[in-house]
Amino acid sequence: MEKRTLRSSTRAAAAAAAGTGVQDDKNSDGKSAPTTTTGAGAGKFKDLYKPNPIVKTAKEGINKRVSDDVKLRKQRRDELVSTKRFKRSDDAKEATDGEGELTKEQVDTVDEQLKSGSSDQIALALKTLSDYLTQFPESDDLQTFVSSAGFLATVEGILTGTDAEKQLLAASVVTNMAAGGSTELCEAALNTAPHLISFLESQNVALVDQSAWALGNIAAEGPKFRDRLKDNGALPPLIKLLQSKDLNLVQTSCFALSNMARGEGANQEALVKAGLIKPLLHHLRVDTEPAVIAEAAWVVVYLTSGPDNVSTQLLEHQLIPLLVAPLKDFLDKKALAIPLIRALGNIASGPDGNTASLIHEPGFLPSMLQFIQSDCRPVKKESLWLMSNITAEHQSTDLIKVIEAGFIPVLSKIATHENFDIRKEAAYSLINLALHGPDYAKILPHRELLPGFLDFLRTKDQELIQLGLRYVQLLLNSGIPDGPALLSELNGVDALEEVILSDDRDQHRLASLLMDTYFGENNNGSRVPTPIPGTPDPHGGNPSSDAPPQYLKRASLSAV
């Protein structure tokens, strides 16, 4: 079975797909405060469909490769920062990030206040420094100062002291050091990890919350940071915090644990062995606060992107009904629903038994029919990805429920009237349905769908071209009445001829085969298709005993 990978698994991935990035900050009252930044992604998809994709000179090719490399590195850093959260104080100036510049004199003033010996001056310096880190994270002077041995020694002295107020302020500074885009600052923040972990056992709820928050930011920096925290014993106290009656503390713990579970080599099994499953799923079972459910679901997202045995253990604890039950309450919650949908998508990308369980779970299909029509673009895209894996279920009888639920008209409209990246997601589901045999292929509204799939053939995007060819292959080779005539009527022959000129050998071969079979000079006019491997035989059975239909099932990857 062919599996499709999710483009990204960071919290802001869906927003990035829509051309914006969302970073979840928290105010000092613990409430989430989304901060939206406009990205350069608005033209990303437009660029894929411009004519003339071939570079004309060697210099142009070199410049394009350099530009692409810069974009990839920037995207990687943006995705990394999007998994972190800044701490902003109540009395912070309402300054927009990047407006104005931080002077060295301002940094020197903070240094003098820290060295003054005055308790009030030290507290003021820590508050100011925390704000500077949120407003000027790229300041060289600031980064040099907070990563210096002298400053780190000062922070160490505060964290090991007895002044709870200053410890909280110092933890806020560490939180924002780890939240910025500098690996060096996160390295400096990592040095305070043993103290932060010890604070997780404190009776001071505010200090516990801030320490867990800082640890979550540090863990998001990458495998080295995440593994150091695990080696220092961060998992048991973080998991224990899930038993707290303070829901804000539970949210922060889930945030930290999700970053502990994300990424390559995250060893999700270690979290399970540390006793994570029961207290985590308890919150999905009993909590009604959407923000808490969403944070718990993010942890599930990264656990289910790990080894199969981790997902198996979660499913044994009735994970599917726990994720499906709240869906109806998230229909108007926009992006807050994404972790629930993505966790279900990870489950659907597994064995067919998982898919069948989802299809038969009460409330699942009605909720998903609403989500794929959401006016929130990221939610719509995630939901369509999930349904593409649902329709890749091998048991055709289960898919009758999908059809009866009314998905075909909705998917058909999306596949022909949305932007290309959204249309593509709906196209996967429609093709998967048709791959289950002629009876399924014939119920699709081909006159409505064909123009959209021919648009796919005219792009320069290889995945879209492949989907367009797959659809035309099914149309011609599944006994669809007047399939070749419909293709000819809608200028599909010209679109196939364009693909024949493609440099992709597989696409060239398939387009040529379809042309020779149905429209070649030697065609005697017969509408009886020549079976092509991987396509259902219109008379029943499989054209090749060793080539079953290649359902387009896509697995989710853990975040990088």
Side-chain angles (χ1 to χ4, degrees):
M1 161 192 334
E2 181 180 348
K3 293 191 174 184
R4 293 173 63 205
T5 59
L6 203 62
R7 275 74 55 199
S8 172
S9 293
T10 64
R11 293 168 183 260
T20 61
V22 176
Q23 181 169 289
D24 287 327
D25 292 352
K26 289 172 80 178
N27 297 316
S28 58
D29 61 359
K31 301 284 182 69
S32 292
T35 300
T36 304
T37 57
T38 301
K44 179 173 64 172
F45 295 105
K46 180 180 177 183
D47 290 342
L48 291 175
Y49 312 110
K50 290 180 180 177
N52 247 343
I54 301 174
V55 294
K56 295 183 174 133
T57 67
K59 183 176 180 181
E60 185 180 344
I62 292 171
N63 291 339
K64 183 177 185 301
R65 286 193 295 274
V66 171
S67 176
D68 289 346
D69 181 59
V70 171
K71 288 178 182 177
L72 285 172
R73 285 188 279 111
K74 184 179 185 300
Q75 180 183 1
R76 170 69 181 93
R77 173 51 59 181
D78 289 345
E79 289 177 352
L80 178 60
V81 173
S82 72
T83 64
K84 300 181 177 185
R85 299 172 179 175
F86 282 109
K87 168 66 179 284
R88 302 182 191 272
S89 64
D90 288 333
D91 55 353
K93 292 181 180 179
E94 295 182 358
T96 303
D97 292 358
E99 281 192 2
E101 292 184 1
L102 181 68
T103 66
K104 188 173 187 306
E105 288 73 18
Q106 289 174 294
V107 176
D108 290 341
T109 298
V110 170
D111 187 18
E112 293 171 3
Q113 290 171 334
L114 287 173
K115 294 175 180 177
S116 68
S118 166
S119 179
D120 291 342
Q121 287 293 300
I122 292 173
L124 177 60
L126 292 172
K127 288 180 182 179
T128 303
L129 192 55
S130 182
D131 292 338
Y132 284 169
L133 286 165
T134 67
Q135 296 170 24
F136 310 102
E138 303 298 325
S139 167
D140 291 337
D141 290 330
L142 182 61
Q143 292 194 24
T144 299
F145 173 66
V146 296
S147 59
S148 66
F151 172 74
L152 293 176
T154 299
V155 171
E156 176 91 8
I158 294 172
L159 293 177
T160 56
T162 58
D163 190 322
E165 179 187 1
K166 291 190 182 63
Q167 287 176 329
L168 179 59
L169 291 172
S172 298
V173 172
V174 173
T175 299
N176 290 340
M177 287 171 62
S182 167
T183 299
E184 290 72 24
L185 286 190
C186 203
E187 288 270 11
L190 182 60
N191 292 324
T192 68
H195 305 297
L196 298 174
I197 293 171
S198 69
F199 290 155
L200 297 179
E201 305 282 358
S202 170
Q203 298 300 310
N204 185 332
V205 175
L207 183 58
V208 173
D209 181 76
Q210 196 63 60
S211 299
W213 186 349
L215 291 169
N217 281 350
I218 294 171
E221 185 66 25
K224 179 181 74 172
F225 297 83
R226 177 194 65 213
D227 294 343
R228 276 276 299 277
L229 295 179
K230 289 180 179 178
D231 291 342
N232 284 337
L235 286 182
L238 283 173
I239 293 173
K240 186 177 179 180
L241 291 182
L242 294 177
Q243 301 173 19
S244 172
K245 294 182 180 180
D246 187 313
L247 293 184
N248 183 62
L249 197 54
V250 170
Q251 285 181 247
T252 307
S253 176
C254 285
F255 162 69
L257 288 166
S258 67
N259 281 336
M260 289 285 195
R262 67 181 287 272
E264 184 178 355
N267 189 15
Q268 291 88 350
E269 292 167 302
L271 281 81
V272 173
K273 289 179 181 177
L276 174 60
I277 290 181
K278 286 187 178 181
L280 176 66
L281 298 190
H282 170 78
H283 290 286
L284 290 177
R285 183 175 292 108
V286 304
D287 286 333
T288 58
E289 176 61 39
V292 178
I293 294 172
E295 288 290 3
W298 273 118
V299 184
V300 174
V301 166
Y302 296 117
L303 291 178
T304 53
S305 67
D308 290 342
N309 66 311
V310 172
S311 294
T312 298
Q313 292 181 65
L314 287 165
L315 293 172
E316 289 173 351
H317 284 78
Q318 302 300 306
L319 176 62
I320 287 177
L322 292 177
L323 291 174
V324 171
L327 284 178
K328 63 183 184 299
D329 299 322
F330 277 73
L331 291 173
D332 61 347
K333 297 296 189 293
K334 297 188 180 295
L336 204 61
I338 287 176
L340 287 171
I341 298 168
R342 188 173 296 176
L344 291 167
N346 287 352
I347 294 170
S349 69
D352 280 348
N354 294 356
T355 313
S357 296
L358 286 170
I359 291 174
H360 291 279
E361 182 65 30
F364 173 72
L365 290 177
S367 293
M368 293 314 302
L369 186 62
Q370 295 300 311
F371 277 124
I372 66 172
Q373 300 176 76
S374 171
D375 58 1
C376 178
R377 178 188 177 89
V379 169
K380 175 177 284 191
K381 195 168 185 177
E382 291 281 345
S383 302
L384 289 167
W385 165 70
L386 167 54
M387 289 309 301
S388 74
N389 280 342
I390 292 294
T391 54
E393 158 74 57
H394 280 76
Q395 295 298 321
S396 301
T397 53
D398 289 332
L399 292 181
I400 293 175
K401 285 185 170 291
V402 176
I403 296 170
E404 291 176 343
F407 277 86
I408 287 181
V410 176
L411 289 170
S412 298
K413 183 177 180 180
I414 294 171
T416 53
H417 290 85
E418 298 279 351
N419 292 333
F420 273 111
D421 61 317
I422 299 292
R423 290 168 62 179
K424 176 179 69 176
E425 297 297 331
Y428 272 105
S429 291
L430 293 166
I431 289 174
N432 280 338
L433 285 169
L435 281 168
H436 284 84
D439 291 340
Y440 290 84
K442 290 176 182 178
I443 63 177
L444 297 182
H446 294 289
R447 181 167 288 276
E448 175 187 350
L449 289 173
L450 182 56
F453 279 98
L454 293 180
D455 286 343
F456 286 6
L457 294 181
R458 298 185 180 102
T459 71
K460 69 174 185 177
D461 182 273
Q462 297 302 305
E463 187 178 5
L464 288 174
I465 294 172
Q466 189 63 31
L467 284 171
L469 282 175
R470 250 345 236 281
Y471 174 79
V472 172
Q473 179 186 19
L474 284 162
L475 175 68
L476 297 177
N477 211 45
S478 297
I480 307 298
D482 299 323
L486 180 62
L487 189 70
S488 180
E489 176 189 341
L490 298 178
N491 298 319
V493 174
D494 293 340
L496 283 175
E497 287 178 341
E498 290 182 27
V499 179
I500 289 175
L501 300 176
S502 169
D503 292 333
D504 187 291
R505 295 180 60 183
D506 291 336
Q507 292 176 359
H508 167 83
R509 174 185 172 278
L510 180 53
S512 298
L513 182 56
L514 292 172
M515 285 288 290
D516 292 343
T517 302
Y518 296 98
F519 306 101
E521 293 179 0
N522 296 326
N523 194 330
N524 62 7
S526 171
R527 297 286 175 85
V528 178
T530 300
I532 300 173
T535 304
D537 190 324
H539 302 295
N542 196 54
S544 172
S545 60
D546 59 352
Q550 298 174 6
Y551 303 114
L552 306 176
K553 199 162 189 177
R554 305 177 289 169
S556 171
L557 295 179
S558 63
V560 293

